[in-house]
Amino acid sequence: MAVQQASFIAEWALPAMVCAPVTWVCLVFRFREEGRLLGSPRSFGLAVAVLLWTSAMAAVASGLVLPHASDVPPVAVGAIAGSGVIPRGRSEQGGARAVLAVLTLGDSLLLQQLALRLRLDRAEWCDRMAEGFADCWDLDAFAGALKNHLLHRVDVHGRTSRARTQLRREIAERHAAVRAAAQRWITIETRIDKACQQQGRCPTREEQRLVRRAFGEAEQYLRYLLELEHAHGKRSDHGRVRELRERCLAPAGAQRGSGA
């Protein structure tokens, strides 16, 4: 009984135990700029599904292969299966790719769903952070605070000088796009308000459409800037971003309350 138990652990349990942490590390590396595996319950569930499925395949492959190939260490089977979630190049040998295809059977569908879920999580988070600005000045102030927040986090350990320069440039370009869109918004809105006051009328449907379009463009460019925070920032920074957003919304709310 003890011998059978030891054989089961060596051939089935050990590969799965080794595969699980290797798979998780490879998932984090694969989706490091795509999103956060712990960003939502659904993304976490899909990541765990990939981990469990890959570990199960490693255990099954080890249990079926080891009796016929005793020179293959169980640990190696688990490590190879876990590393299989990383995209492979076409230059690899066909035999190695075939082995990985067997060990990671079914992972492709789960990984595709996980990548889609991470993109949806990012879009939903950016939507929440970009909504609620009734005044272009508040939106512009938040964009400026977000830009400074991002720039202070560019110089991180492990990021190359070229990557830092490129990220700074991208932050500046996306922030400039937000400011330009916010300026167009206030210009159109001011021109229409002035015309309505002079002519003693309400805005026409076309004028309302122009204001809504300018407002939508400013929101969309703000989402592009927020995507950099979601891609390159830490999960702990989300609280800071929400704090910056509430701080920029507070003056407008205070003014509306005092005006009432």
Side-chain angles (χ1 to χ4, degrees):
M1 180 66 67
V3 175
Q4 293 179 352
Q5 184 177 3
S7 177
F8 173 81
I9 294 176
E11 295 181 5
W12 296 81
L14 184 59
M17 293 170 59
V18 173
C19 181
V22 173
T23 301
W24 183 259
V25 171
C26 292
L27 283 176
V28 173
F29 177 79
R30 174 170 181 157
F31 297 107
R32 63 191 182 281
E33 293 185 0
E34 297 294 329
R36 294 176 176 83
L37 300 178
L38 305 179
S40 69
R42 293 192 64 181
S43 62
F44 175 72
L46 286 169
V48 172
V50 173
L51 186 150
L52 293 177
W53 179 264
T54 308
S55 299
M57 291 303 300
V60 171
S62 178
L64 296 178
V65 170
L66 287 183
H68 305 283
S70 58
D71 58 333
V72 179
V75 174
V77 177
I80 293 173
S83 63
V85 300
I86 297 180
R88 301 289 170 174
R90 295 183 177 180
S91 60
E92 291 189 353
Q93 296 180 356
R97 294 183 64 184
V99 172
L100 283 176
V102 173
L103 291 178
T104 59
L105 182 64
D107 274 347
S108 58
L109 179 59
L110 291 172
L111 290 171
Q112 181 181 2
Q113 293 300 315
L114 178 57
L116 178 60
R117 184 69 250 174
L118 292 177
R119 288 195 291 269
L120 290 175
D121 288 346
R122 175 181 296 182
E124 291 173 359
W125 182 82
C126 292
D127 287 342
R128 290 195 300 269
M129 293 296 103
E131 291 174 351
F133 292 96
D135 189 285
C136 70
W137 303 113
D138 296 340
L139 187 146
D140 184 50
F142 175 59
L146 181 61
K147 173 191 173 184
N148 294 332
H149 171 82
L150 288 169
L151 289 176
H152 289 154
R153 286 155 178 78
V154 170
D155 297 326
V156 298
H157 179 71
R159 183 173 292 163
T160 64
S161 176
R162 181 178 180 181
R164 296 178 185 182
T165 301
Q166 182 178 356
L167 182 55
R168 288 193 187 95
R169 181 170 61 251
E170 194 168 5
I171 292 171
E173 291 175 352
R174 296 197 185 192
H175 175 254
V178 177
R179 298 212 67 180
Q183 185 60 45
R184 287 194 297 270
W185 177 14
I186 189 58
T187 300
I188 293 174
E189 193 172 43
T190 302
R191 185 181 72 245
I192 293 174
D193 289 344
K194 184 177 181 180
C196 291
Q197 291 176 3
Q198 292 176 348
Q199 300 172 16
R201 61 176 178 84
C202 295
T204 64
R205 292 179 62 88
E206 178 63 20
E207 289 172 339
Q208 293 176 356
R209 185 183 65 81
L210 290 175
V211 173
R212 286 197 297 267
R213 175 184 293 178
F215 169 75
E217 289 180 355
E219 268 195 345
Q220 187 60 36
Y221 281 116
L222 178 59
R223 291 186 183 96
Y224 291 152
L225 183 60
L226 284 162
E227 285 181 354
L228 293 179
E229 163 60 28
H230 195 276
H232 300 284
K234 296 181 179 179
R235 181 175 172 82
S236 58
D237 289 339
H238 284 190
R240 176 58 178 169
V241 174
R242 286 192 293 268
E243 181 181 333
L244 293 174
R245 178 179 179 275
E246 294 301 324
R247 185 181 303 172
C248 294
L249 285 173
Q255 290 175 4
R256 286 192 294 270
S258 62

